Each structure stands twice: as structure tokens, then as C-alpha cells.
Amino acid sequence: MIALGGNAHIRKPRVLLKPASVLGLSIIIALLIALLVAWSVRQASLNRLETTTQAQLARLVMSLDAALARYSYLPVLIAQETEIKAHLQQAPDALSSSQINHYLARTNQLAGTMDIYLMRADGMTIASSNWDKTWSFIGNDFAFRPYFQQAMSGQLGRYYAVGTTSNERGYYFASAVQDEKQNPLGVVVVKISVNTIEQLWQNQSFEFWVTDDDGIIFMASDYQTLFHTLEALSPLRQQAIIDTQRYVGFALKPLANFKRNFLHDNLYRVERQNQHYLMAKHRMEEAGWDVYVLSDWRSITQTLQIALLITLALTGLSGLLLFTFWKYRTQRQCYQQAAMAELETKVAERTQALEQAQTGLIQAAKMAALGQMSSTINHELNNPLGAIRAYADNARQFLERGQISIAQTNLQEIAALTERMATITHQLKAFARKSHGQRERCSLAMAIDSSLVIMQPRFARAGVELQQERLAEAVTVWADLVWLEQILINLFSNALDAIHERADPQIGLKITSLQDQACMEIWDNGTGLDENDMNHLFEPFFTTKQAGHGLGLGLSISQRLAVDMQGSLQAFNRAEGGAVFCLCLPLAPKE
Ligand code: ADP
């Protein structure tokens, strides 16, 4: 029997993921990647924006510093002028007020400042570069201005304010004019325009504010924010500012819709009129200013949006690719499984067909063997039948004569003969029956005896007595009894054919038992095996016998049956002449 279907190793189908779970998993992974990318891109953009903002702030501060530094020396220089001192001391050869005015106007024009003026020690302005203008400072008392007080105390006065007369934003530098004993005679004031500095920084990619000590914006990229405060001022502070007349006429309200959150160092996240900014702050100690630079936060959100879009597109694309690949693989697995199932079915069908064909062949071979033995069987059955008839006739006659005991003897003979006939027909029936190879415990002796019952008439006709070398102990093999008998009958039958023309024919049977096998050697002193035929002996339909005497199926079927029973059948030539066939079968497991 061909063991195909039974042993074929079928790969277990892999557990396939459902499309919904794959899709869900892909979405989760894509979202996680998008989140990670969003976080890193946000961090990177924030870092970049921080660096840019800090750099812009540094540039602005440097520019403001430079602008202030350029003019801080001017009042000091003017205050050193002997004409100015003489004018203040009202020396006899002093220049006139008009000459001083002209001098100040010329210096103001050359230096590019807003105004330069001279105050007496009591705060009264006595000369000014704008002497000829309607808003001339001459005659104004600026003693209340802190820069006057600072200069009078010997320091360089620095102050920011909106001019009370001109209403223009300006920064004031003031230096005292001193006599030989360092006593203040008056103060020279240089006012520079904040406007000019501010304009330099308009139309930049960022916004800026410059605030004074009170947080009041006095320079800004957006004029709307001027004279607003970053924090609400206390009433006390407001009063103080009013007293200095620093911002005359301005309400100094806090910036509307302004919120700031500290990030780290000098950085804030600012919300103003529903817009978000990153704000950096720098303190200009000397000037007493705070400088703020605000960069649009949208650069972060925009970068984030673009990065997210690209990430989502890429993850979507890779997801799509993965999904297509997974679908292709799943489909291929399905096809493979279907093909495998189809193959299995086909193999099962073919195996069944082969089994049927094999059973048919076995049966045909048996029938052929029976056919070969038919004349012998005929003879074996006809002989006792004739004898029975004769015994019956005799018995009837003896009964008629009243010789009952002799009649009884005849009847006993008849019974014995029918018994023998029954044995033969039983064995023939058993031999003829189909078997599908059910292995079981078989007594070797019983199998040999059964086949000999069938073969005995042929042995007798050939005048051969089987030379048996059996083992003392009972040998049990793991085999199909019908198949085993069939093999033995084939081998005995071939041996009988081989010794046909021998004058001293001999056939023998030798049983040996190995570790896990029992072997039966069936030998004869017949024609032996042709060396050329050796390779073909077990091929189906190989025969050297005349037509009508052999089908050439006996050995091929016997070998197949032996192999199917996990045994073997081999052929050799004997040294003494003739052939020997060795049938080995596994021993039955111990009970
Ligand atoms: P068949 O007996 O129908 O020819 P087998 O398959 O039984 O078919 O045998 C094939 C051939 O093997 C025989 O024709 C014969 O030539 C050879 N053969 C088998 N047994 C013997 C034997 N004991 N001695 C010599 N030749 C044998």
C-alpha cells in the first residue's frame, strides 16, 4: 500500500489577522508616529524660534545702546565750554543769550539731536537751540525733571519723557556746568529723538517694545501700543508719574488682551489679541529700559502643521503599502491553503484509487495462483468425492446385508474424507477472501500450516516433502494473516515451478528469529535465478514462465505486501544451486 495521505506533513495554517484589526493597528501606529513627530518638530521649531528671537533682541539692544552712547558725551562736552560757563556766571565778556542760542542751534544741527538747551541752577531755561520756535524752551522751568536733579548732583542725567512743551518723545542727557570749585552753575541738556531710533527697527519680521522702569511702553513697532503698560500701575505709582510730568496727557492703561506666561530664562509665551508670540526680554541697566522682542508663534504651528501633514502622508503611504503587502500575503496564504487542501483531496482520492487497484491486483494474483492450482484442487476434491461415492455404495450394500459394523467403518471414512474436503475448501475460501491489510498478532506456525494445506496437494504431486527447520518456541509476527499466507503460497508455488525438472527435487523452509524480526527462508534446488533477471524479479509482470503459466505478479505483490507490513522480501541464489527467498516480518509486540 502506498502510504501517501497518512504521512503527508500538512503545515498548520497560520493565524491570520482580520483586516479590521490590521487597519486599527496601523492607525494607532500612525497616530503614535505622528504624535512623536509633532512633539519633536515642536521642540525643534521652538528652539529655533528662541534662538532667532534672542538674536533679534541682542541686535536691537546693541543698536539702542549704540544710539544712546553716541550722544551721552555731548552735554558733557558742551558743559566744558568756557563761553557757556561765562554765560552762566554772567561774566563781563560773556557771550550774549542770542549768541549762546545760535551756538546751541548749530551744535544741535551738526549732532543731529532734537534739542539742546541750557538751564540755570534754579531749573530755568535760559538758552535753547529752538529759541526761534513757537515751542521754544526758553523761560521754562524744568527743575522737576529728574535728569536736572541728577546732573545737579554731579552725575550724568539720563531720562526718558514726552516733552511737556514739544509733546515729542525724547531721551534726555544732562550734564552740570561747574565752576572752578565744582559747584553747579547750571545744566546742559541734550534731547534726542526716540522716533529716529524707533523707525530704524520698523518693518522687521518681529515686533518690539521698549519700556521704562514702570513698564510703560515708550518705543514700539506697533504705535497702537505706545504709552500702555504691561502691568496695571498702582495709584501711588501713577501719581508719581504725573508728578514728574513724564507722560503728560496719556492715560497709561494696561495693554488690552495681554497675557504672558513665563517659559524659562528671559522667555515668555505671550497672548495678545488672540495671537500668540514668543517674547524675549532684556534689561538695559544704564538706560533703565526693558527691551522686548516678540516673534510670531505661528512659525511653530505652521512648521508643525507641515511636518504633521508630511508625516501623515508618509505614514499613510507606508500604511497603505504595508496593508497592500499584508493583503497580498494573506491572499497568497489563502491560495496556498486552498491549493494544499485541493492537493490533499487529490492525494486522498489517488491513494484510495491506488489502494483499490492494489487490492484488485492482489486479488488477481490470488486468483491466478488459484487458477494455477485449479487442476490440483480439482484432483484433490474429485478423488475424495469418488472415494465417498464408493464408500457410500459399499455402505448401502453392507447395510442391506446387515453388516452394520463394516457399513459404520465406511461411513467413518466418508466423514473423514468430507472433513479433509472441508479443510481444503475452508483454506481456499480463506485464501480467496480480500484483505485490506489489518495487522495483528499472527502465529507464524499457523500461517505456514494454513498455506501448506493449500499447497500440500502440489507438493504431493511433485513428490517433494518440505524440509522444515522451525524454532522450538512459538513465533508471533505483526502481520496480516491473509497477506502472509498469500506470500508463502507464492513462494512455495514458485519453488515448486523451479524444481519441476529436477530429478531430486528439494524445497525447504527455515525460520530464524532476530532481535525484532522473524525471517522465513524458502529455498529450493531448482533452476536458480538468472543474474540478469535479478534486478527485474520484483517488477510487476516480469515472468520467465510460458504463457498461461505465470502472470509475473506473484513476487512484485509479495514484496509490496511484505514492505506494507514493515517487513522485506529478498531473493538470492544458493551456493549449492537453486534459489532462496527470504521473507522477514516484525515480531509482534509482547502482550
Ligand atoms: P510468475 O511466477 O507468474 O512468473 P512471479 O513474480 O512469482 O511471477 O515470479 C517472477 C519470476 O521469478 C518467475 O517467472 C521466475 O523466473 C522467477 N522465480 C521466482 N521464483 C523462483 C525460484 N524459486 N527459482 C527460480 N526462479 C524463480
Side-chain angles (χ1 to χ4, degrees):
M1 204 188 304
I2 303 166
L4 269 174
N7 290 342
H9 176 66
I10 309 296
R11 231 194 311 159
K12 272 192 184 171
R14 281 191 212 142
V15 183
L16 300 177
L17 286 173
K18 287 185 183 160
S21 357
V22 172
L23 203 69
L25 205 70
S26 316
I27 290 173
I28 290 172
I29 292 173
L31 283 178
L32 281 178
I33 293 174
L35 271 177
L36 200 72
V37 169
W39 182 81
S40 8
V41 168
R42 186 191 176 275
Q43 274 317 104
S45 324
L46 183 61
N47 286 348
R48 207 174 36 244
L49 191 66
E50 280 179 12
T51 318
T52 329
T53 312
Q54 298 278 28
Q56 285 159 345
L57 178 69
R59 273 171 54 220
L60 178 60
V61 169
M62 242 162 70
S63 150
L64 292 173
D65 261 338
L68 295 182
R70 205 178 320 143
Y71 299 108
S72 60
Y73 68 92
L74 198 53
V76 185
L77 276 183
I78 298 171
Q80 302 298 319
E81 290 291 334
T82 38
E83 278 78 13
I84 297 289
K85 274 188 202 171
H87 183 73
L88 282 173
Q89 285 170 328
Q90 294 175 346
D93 55 343
L95 294 177
S96 67
S97 293
S98 160
Q99 282 173 312
I100 294 293
N101 280 339
H102 277 96
Y103 165 74
L104 292 180
R106 202 168 51 250
T107 314
N108 184 46
Q109 196 190 359
L110 284 173
T113 48
M114 241 176 121
D115 296 302
I116 303 176
Y117 49 99
L118 181 66
M119 293 158 78
R120 276 198 324 239
D122 58 357
M124 180 57 68
T125 309
I126 51 167
S128 173
S129 57
N130 59 6
W131 58 275
D132 52 346
K133 305 282 183 316
T134 47
W135 59 86
S136 167
F137 297 157
I138 297 171
N140 282 326
D141 181 357
F142 293 122
F144 61 92
R145 290 291 201 192
Y147 58 79
F148 173 76
Q149 288 144 25
Q150 286 165 358
M152 287 298 282
S153 64
Q155 298 163 4
L156 176 70
R158 303 171 76 112
Y159 189 63
Y160 166 80
V162 179
T164 42
T165 320
S166 62
N167 230 4
E168 269 198 60
R169 291 171 296 153
Y171 194 74
Y172 302 80
F173 288 105
S175 179
V177 185
Q178 293 168 331
D179 61 12
E180 293 70 31
K181 292 178 184 157
Q182 308 294 318
N183 292 320
L185 300 168
V187 171
V188 176
V189 183
V190 173
K191 182 181 178 186
I192 57 169
S193 168
V194 165
N195 248 349
T196 335
I197 309 171
E198 193 182 57
Q199 268 161 14
L200 284 175
W201 289 90
Q202 296 295 341
N203 305 322
Q204 298 283 331
S205 59
F206 58 89
E207 295 197 33
F208 69 88
W209 290 322
V210 183
T211 63
D212 65 10
D213 282 332
D214 295 310
I216 298 161
I217 300 170
F218 66 88
M219 261 197 258
S221 47
D222 174 9
Y223 294 133
Q224 306 283 327
T225 56
L226 279 177
F227 310 118
H228 284 79
T229 57
L230 295 186
E231 309 273 330
L233 293 173
S234 66
L236 212 68
R237 197 64 219 144
Q238 261 179 344
Q239 191 50 55
I241 295 166
I242 291 167
D243 289 349
T244 56
Q245 298 184 29
R246 200 175 195 178
Y247 302 102
V248 180
F250 293 101
L252 306 179
K253 284 188 188 149
L255 271 178
N257 296 324
F258 175 79
K259 246 194 282 176
R260 66 173 152 180
N261 291 315
F262 177 72
L263 292 177
H264 59 90
D265 303 320
N266 59 337
L267 291 165
Y268 300 83
R269 185 177 173 160
V270 164
E271 192 187 336
R272 202 186 137 234
Q273 288 167 344
N274 299 326
Q275 279 218 39
H276 293 262
Y277 300 88
L278 177 74
M279 184 172 86
K281 174 185 171 184
H282 181 84
R283 173 87 184 149
M284 288 174 70
E285 281 302 344
E286 253 196 334
W289 295 352
D290 282 319
V291 187
Y292 297 90
V293 160
L294 293 95
S295 298
D296 198 337
W297 194 272
R298 270 179 303 186
S299 66
I300 295 178
T301 22
Q302 275 164 2
T303 320
L304 195 63
Q305 278 166 0
I306 292 168
L308 268 180
L309 266 177
I310 293 172
T311 315
L312 281 178
L314 283 179
T315 25
L317 203 71
S318 359
L320 201 73
L321 278 175
L322 276 176
F323 185 69
T324 320
F325 174 69
W326 168 83
K327 224 176 143 188
Y328 163 75
R329 256 194 63 181
T330 318
Q331 266 177 2
R332 217 180 56 177
Q333 280 176 352
C334 285
Y335 290 146
Q336 275 177 351
Q337 280 176 15
M340 191 83 82
E342 202 183 357
L343 194 71
E344 267 180 73
T345 324
K346 274 192 183 153
V347 166
E349 281 170 9
R350 295 280 153 85
T351 311
Q352 203 184 4
L354 274 174
E355 277 172 9
Q356 278 171 0
Q358 182 172 296
T359 319
L361 272 178
I362 294 170
Q363 204 57 19
K366 273 200 284 196
M367 290 309 138
L370 280 178
Q372 278 176 320
M373 291 187 288
S374 62
S375 59
T376 321
I377 294 163
N378 204 19
H379 175 77
E380 281 301 306
L381 292 179
N382 276 340
N383 269 357
L385 266 180
I388 287 169
R389 181 171 298 153
Y391 278 127
D393 286 344
N394 290 345
R396 189 166 36 85
Q397 285 173 16
F398 288 130
L399 282 173
E400 281 169 1
R401 285 183 214 152
Q403 293 173 307
I404 292 169
S405 65
I406 302 178
Q408 269 180 340
T409 319
N410 278 5
L411 287 172
Q412 274 170 3
E413 284 298 333
I414 289 171
L417 283 169
T418 51
E419 185 69 27
R420 175 165 170 66
M421 283 172 75
T423 314
I424 292 174
T425 51
H426 174 76
Q427 288 302 334
L428 283 172
K429 209 175 122 193
F431 179 62
R433 82 172 189 268
K434 272 189 186 175
S435 172
H436 297 284
Q438 291 299 317
R439 294 208 287 159
E440 58 196 355
R441 304 176 68 80
C442 294
S443 154
L444 208 55
M446 196 188 286
I448 293 167
D449 289 342
S450 301
S451 46
L452 281 179
V453 170
I454 295 172
M455 293 309 297
Q456 193 51 50
R458 277 196 70 191
F459 273 106
R461 267 182 48 193
V464 179
E465 186 153 347
L466 183 69
Q467 299 176 28
Q468 299 193 43
E469 287 177 63
R470 298 206 191 186
L471 293 172
E473 71 274 10
V475 182
T476 317
V477 289
W478 189 246
D480 179 303
L481 186 64
V482 179
W483 284 4
L484 177 53
E485 283 172 12
Q486 186 173 350
I487 298 170
L488 290 172
I489 285 169
N490 277 336
L491 297 178
F492 285 138
S493 190
N494 279 344
L496 280 164
D497 288 341
I499 49 100
H500 184 58
E501 287 174 355
R502 288 290 299 207
D504 58 336
Q506 285 178 9
I507 298 177
L509 166 72
K510 184 181 177 186
I511 299 175
T512 48
S513 173
L514 300 169
Q515 206 174 14
D516 53 356
Q517 277 194 323
C519 290
M520 288 146 274
E521 287 173 22
I522 292 158
W523 59 267
D524 61 68
N525 63 346
T527 51
L529 303 162
D530 192 312
E531 286 300 323
N532 296 326
D533 297 342
M534 278 290 200
N535 292 334
H536 308 291
L537 281 185
F538 296 99
E539 287 172 8
F541 304 108
F542 174 80
T543 181
T544 56
K545 292 171 192 170
Q546 286 172 356
H549 288 270
L551 282 177
L553 286 173
L555 285 183
S556 72
I557 286 175
S558 297
Q559 192 182 50
R560 171 61 51 82
L561 296 181
V563 171
D564 280 357
M565 291 188 289
Q566 313 292 312
S568 62
L569 176 62
Q570 290 172 295
F572 308 96
N573 270 322
R574 295 174 68 222
E576 311 86 309
V580 59
F581 285 83
C582 187
L583 169 68
C584 292
L585 289 172
L587 286 172
K590 294 224 161 49
E591 271 184 314

